[in-house]
Amino acid sequence: RDDGIGNKDLYVIEKINDSLWAEPQHLGPMLNTVDSETSPFLAADNRTLYFATAGFPGYGKKDIFMSKRIGEGRLEWSAPVNLGSQLNTPKWDAYYTIPADGSYVYFVSYDASGYGESDIYRVKMPESLKPSPIVLVQGVVRSKKDETFISSEIVYHSLTKGIEVGRAQSDPNTGAYKIVLPAGDAYGFSATKDGYIPVSASMDLTEVTKYEEVERNLYLAPIEEGARIVINNLYFDTNKHDI
């Protein structure tokens, strides 16, 4: 792109809705060099970015680096850190991918010890290079009336910051949903569906220090005369009665 500073650069694009995206924003000279940056991977904590580049000093032709997002925006990042000789080789390394629990890392390397020109490797993740811990919340959304599966939108937000942090959609055939919540904060989440009374819940993850999985099934009651619900959380503005 015309606003780039190298061969290939890293950008971020904000999602506006299901069919609309904002303009690409350049991530700046902290991450981008006059060389080529490739294969960005944002970990499940939504803050730790791994990418490959030949523009910073390293161990080979292209190394993998890590950077942390600063603040709540998407354009400020910490200085990239080389992942070291345990993961980077004298050859070309890229396409770094980590599962949600952060236990192993998968990547591609042209190291001479492989079977071909480039191979896929798996290495146990060093503690110092792991992303921040997260909690995987999963469950099923059903109708409280007849327990049929419901395709519902689940919105979750930070209770301490007062901002929305993500959305998920339960499967219409199985009712299954999954959301990822970074540790160190308290969250509220609610499931909504036209014709049903929304249901909400909360989770305090401020003391969580390692990866966890939590099952939380949600039941929505149809809007009809005589329906009864339990309101788990009621949110209102400070010094106001606006619910």
Side-chain angles (χ1 to χ4, degrees), residues 7-241:
N7 188 5
K8 289 182 180 178
D9 282 5
L10 300 177
Y11 291 80
V12 62
I13 305 176
E14 295 283 355
K15 186 176 184 180
I16 298 176
N17 55 46
D18 289 340
S19 60
L20 186 61
W21 296 80
E23 286 291 321
Q25 292 180 286
H26 191 266
L27 290 188
M30 180 63 75
L31 301 184
N32 290 304
T33 70
V34 295
D35 210 290
S36 180
E37 284 70 50
T38 59
S39 63
F41 177 81
L42 187 64
D45 65 357
N46 201 28
R47 305 200 72 84
T48 309
L49 178 68
Y50 301 90
F51 66 98
T53 182
F56 296 116
Y59 294 89
K61 293 183 178 179
K62 177 167 283 191
D63 281 11
I64 304 166
F65 290 78
M66 175 183 71
S67 176
K68 296 279 188 177
R69 185 159 62 93
I70 299 172
E72 298 305 317
R74 300 283 176 174
L75 299 180
E76 290 190 65
W77 297 85
S78 65
V81 175
N82 190 296
L83 297 192
S85 59
Q86 183 178 351
L87 295 173
N88 288 310
T89 72
K91 298 292 185 177
W92 188 97
D93 309 288
Y95 300 104
Y96 196 86
T97 305
I98 309 170
D101 62 5
S103 56
Y104 285 89
V105 54
Y106 299 82
F107 63 99
V108 172
S109 178
Y110 280 77
D111 187 69
S113 63
Y115 294 103
E117 187 176 356
S118 64
D119 288 343
I120 301 171
Y121 291 83
R122 185 183 81 155
V123 177
K124 193 169 182 61
M125 190 69 168
E127 286 293 329
S128 61
L129 301 178
K130 286 184 177 181
S132 302
I134 60 102
V135 174
L136 177 64
V137 182
Q138 54 191 339
V140 174
V141 183
R142 296 177 182 268
S143 168
K144 191 174 183 180
K145 182 177 181 179
D146 54 17
E147 295 208 352
T148 55
F149 298 126
I150 295 177
S151 176
S152 167
E153 183 176 50
I154 298 112
V155 180
Y156 42 109
H157 54 277
S158 166
L159 296 179
T160 59
K161 301 180 180 70
I163 59 173
E164 181 182 313
V165 293
R167 292 174 178 251
Q169 189 76 32
S170 61
D171 187 278
N173 298 315
T174 64
Y177 77 94
K178 289 182 180 181
I179 59 177
V180 172
L181 301 176
D185 203 351
Y187 299 91
F189 56 96
S190 59
T192 59
K193 172 74 174 178
D194 289 343
Y196 290 82
I197 300 172
V199 63
S200 62
S202 62
M203 297 188 70
D204 186 355
L205 307 181
T206 53
E207 302 298 324
V208 174
T209 58
K210 62 180 181 178
Y211 173 78
E212 292 184 12
E213 293 186 7
V214 176
E215 182 177 349
R216 189 67 64 90
N217 296 322
L218 304 173
Y219 294 86
L220 274 65
I223 298 177
E224 57 186 10
E225 185 176 353
R228 294 187 177 187
I229 63 166
V230 175
I231 299 177
N232 295 313
N233 301 287
L234 192 63
Y235 302 103
F236 54 93
D237 289 339
T238 303
N239 292 330
K240 296 180 181 180
H241 53 68

